[in-house]
Amino acid sequence: MASSFGAAQVLVASNRGPVSYEVREDGSLHAKRGGGGLVSGLSAIGPDAGALWVCSALGDGDREAVRRGVGEDGVRMLDVPADVHADAYNGIANSVLWFVHHMLYQTPLEPVFDAEFRRQWASYEAYNRAFAEALAEEAAEGAVAIVQDYHLTLVPGMLRELRPDLRIGHFSHTPWAPVDYFRLLPDDIAERVLRGMLGADRLGFLTRRWADAFTACCDAVVGGLGGTEIGVHGLGADGDFLRARSHEADVEERMADLREEIGTAPDGGARRTVVRVDRTELSKNIVRGLLAYRELLAGRPEWRERVVHVAFAYPSRQDLAVYRDYTDEVRRVAEAVNEEFGTPGWTPVVLNLKDDFARSLAAYRLADVALVNPVRDGMNLVAKEVPVVSETGCALVLSREAGAYEELGEDAVVVNPYDVVGTADALHEALSLPAGERAERSKRLAAAGTALPPARWFLEQLDALRG
Ligand code: F6P
């Protein structure tokens, strides 16, 4: 086997990679680079560290790049057949495993694990096998491979069989379901998922709560963790990057636009802002956030004309009908609030559905209150980012079901995300915090939220795996 070893010393595997391609009208390929924790992590180990990122081709542009042999150094994109990828990503990862871990099913009617599910599961296995084989081919002897997320739960076990010499890690960016909910999965599938992950030497989670839930599932379904170690690494915001990026010219420009859209209160003072920034994701609870804001305006008329809810809801997973419907509902409820309370000089909800990072940062800077109310969330980095960037310090209304609650709960105004009246009260409390206290809390939130920046988060895991 020695002859088939590759050269990579550190490997990362994830569905979505650090770069994506688009075919331009003239037929040329345009590369778009992404950010995020793994990108910072890999750049922290330096260009000579022998790192390789294995990811999936996601769209036509990516597939074309693979076919033309175009690629970034340090990235290997897998051209898994589009239908296999769609079954694995949309069908199993996003419609089953994501729903299980975020507890999103409307259980009187779903889930239904029928023959179609079994067909899609076979694709999920094939897609995981493609990753395991690529990692096995590329890894140097004794290399470290860290596999990411619910898309790739079977990879550690498959890779262990192919390359017992490797140090294998897996990191979950999602919550983990409680035992009773996890066991909605057919028994053999529940077991496959857990045994797949337990092929790793070490499994990482964002909080103790999710790590404990995983351990409980293993105890109930497969009789324990075996020799696999569990670690908790609470990914934090990248404070240095955010502070610098949020003062670039494009952000300043967008601040001026936003200020104009927000307008001034009847007494001439600045209007307060309640800011949220999310992907339009079922778990983010954007609709109940809007209903809570409606409740605030209905129950406490003193806030009318004095506050604006700036809500960013970026498109996500639009191949799935339930996500498209959810986006429509967000739009409908926002319009209803504007119709009910708006006046010629005041738009109560400014809703943004187009992804614009600079505009998000502008909103962060202007935020008086950040609303982060997911029904369930692995971490939620927005909760950690807004206090770093907000100019006068912001109050954080935070769901107790977000992973970030473990680190930020003490200085936030904490809510049960299903309780719309309670969330309206929390918004009132947050908007009413005296400026001094708000600034103090915001400072502590920013410190807690940047305690483990992405580069250190990644290096910590690497060190732990190397032992
Ligand atoms: O939260 C889990 C996660 O995989 C993140 O790592 C990522 O931000 C998000 O979901 C992305 O989802 P998608 O690739 O489906 O857009």
Side-chain angles (χ1 to χ4, degrees):
M1 183 146 192
S3 60
S4 66
F5 286 168
Q9 295 291 346
V10 176
L11 300 97
V12 161
S14 65
N15 173 62
R16 192 177 291 280
V19 62
S20 63
Y21 296 90
E22 183 187 286
V23 187
R24 292 244 160 113
E25 267 180 28
D26 64 359
S28 66
L29 279 172
H30 173 70
K32 217 176 125 200
R33 281 159 202 86
L38 283 170
V39 173
S40 320
L42 279 183
S43 53
I45 61 174
D48 304 324
L52 181 75
W53 191 323
V54 178
C55 59
S56 185
L58 299 180
D60 293 343
D62 289 357
R63 289 178 202 290
E64 192 52 33
V66 177
R67 270 169 222 144
R68 289 189 201 174
V70 173
E72 302 269 311
D73 272 354
V75 177
R76 175 166 167 193
M77 233 179 217
L78 303 180
D79 189 4
V80 179
D83 55 338
V84 173
H85 184 265
D87 286 345
Y89 173 70
N90 287 321
I92 301 297
N94 288 340
S95 299
V96 177
L97 298 178
W98 182 273
F99 271 57
V100 167
H101 291 316
H102 292 84
M103 301 167 65
L104 293 174
Y105 285 120
Q106 310 212 12
T107 50
L109 292 174
E110 56 178 18
V112 176
F113 294 118
D114 53 8
E116 173 62 8
F117 164 77
R118 293 283 164 177
R119 196 190 59 70
Q120 293 184 336
W121 179 262
S123 293
Y124 181 79
E125 286 188 334
Y127 156 85
N128 272 253
R129 186 160 302 285
F131 272 82
E133 284 170 355
L135 291 166
E137 200 178 300
E138 301 281 359
E141 184 164 18
V144 178
I146 311 185
V147 178
Q148 310 295 313
D149 252 330
Y150 57 101
H151 314 93
L152 301 177
T153 58
L154 308 181
V155 169
M158 292 171 168
L159 184 56
R160 165 78 55 225
E161 276 185 19
L162 295 168
R163 291 289 304 271
D165 60 301
L166 301 182
R167 296 290 295 166
I168 304 172
H170 181 283
F171 194 87
S172 290
H173 296 261
T174 59
W176 194 270
V179 175
D180 289 351
Y181 209 89
F182 186 72
R183 297 189 88 176
L184 293 181
L185 290 172
D187 293 351
D188 61 319
I189 301 293
E191 193 175 332
R192 289 279 292 129
V193 167
L194 296 176
R195 289 203 190 286
M197 287 182 59
L198 292 174
D201 295 290
R202 192 167 186 280
L203 299 171
F205 294 89
L206 286 165
T207 69
R208 174 55 48 200
R209 183 179 175 194
W210 314 140
D212 288 348
F214 176 83
T215 304
C217 286
C218 288
D219 289 344
V221 178
V222 293
L225 295 172
T228 301
E229 255 178 57
I230 302 285
V232 174
H233 304 274
L235 176 63
D238 190 341
D240 294 340
F241 164 76
L242 285 170
R243 276 183 284 262
R245 180 68 186 85
S246 64
H247 284 85
E248 286 180 18
D250 57 345
V251 177
E252 304 284 351
E253 247 171 58
R254 284 160 178 81
M255 275 180 81
D257 296 345
L258 261 180
R259 276 208 179 97
E260 207 169 302
E261 287 171 55
I262 292 164
T264 44
D267 63 3
R271 283 191 174 122
R272 298 294 180 85
T273 55
V274 174
V275 169
R276 77 170 309 136
V277 178
D278 294 291
R279 293 183 295 112
T280 311
E281 161 56 53
L282 310 177
S283 57
K284 301 291 184 185
N285 209 20
I286 304 168
V287 171
R288 284 194 198 83
L290 287 161
L291 294 175
Y293 179 67
R294 190 211 158 268
E295 196 73 29
L296 173 83
L297 299 179
R300 302 184 195 263
E302 69 269 25
W303 284 114
R304 294 183 198 170
E305 300 264 9
R306 292 182 51 225
V307 64
V308 170
H309 184 17
V310 181
F312 289 69
Y314 296 148
S316 175
R317 304 183 187 165
Q318 293 293 297
D319 287 345
L320 299 180
V322 62
Y323 279 71
R324 294 195 298 273
D325 294 348
Y326 187 71
T327 307
D328 289 345
E329 185 63 2
V330 167
R331 198 184 290 115
R332 194 190 65 73
V333 177
E335 278 166 10
V337 174
N338 283 341
E339 227 156 78
E340 186 176 358
F341 296 99
T343 64
W346 174 52
T347 306
V349 181
V350 171
L351 179 67
N352 300 259
L353 295 172
K354 203 172 139 262
D355 196 343
D356 181 342
F357 184 53
R359 195 163 148 93
S360 306
L361 290 176
Y364 282 11
R365 279 180 65 181
L366 294 173
D368 295 305
V369 173
L371 174 58
V372 178
N373 65 326
V375 292
R376 207 169 153 84
D377 210 336
M379 174 56 76
N380 199 299
L381 279 181
V382 173
K384 295 182 164 185
E385 290 170 352
V386 190
V388 174
V389 174
S390 76
E391 306 229 300
T392 55
C394 72
L396 174 64
V397 173
L398 180 63
S399 164
R400 65 190 186 200
E401 303 305 320
Y405 167 73
E406 262 180 37
E407 292 156 273
L408 307 183
E410 233 165 82
D411 284 302
V413 184
V414 176
V415 294
N416 165 351
Y418 298 94
D419 182 355
V420 164
V421 171
T423 305
D425 290 344
L427 287 174
H428 173 69
E429 186 186 332
L431 284 163
S432 310
L433 273 190
E437 189 185 343
R438 199 175 77 176
E440 281 305 311
R441 283 202 198 193
S442 189
K443 225 186 273 170
R444 289 196 295 266
L445 288 167
T450 53
L452 188 60
R456 275 195 24 227
W457 165 82
F458 183 75
L459 292 177
E460 244 186 41
Q461 295 176 61
L462 208 55
D463 287 351
L465 267 166
R466 282 174 169 154

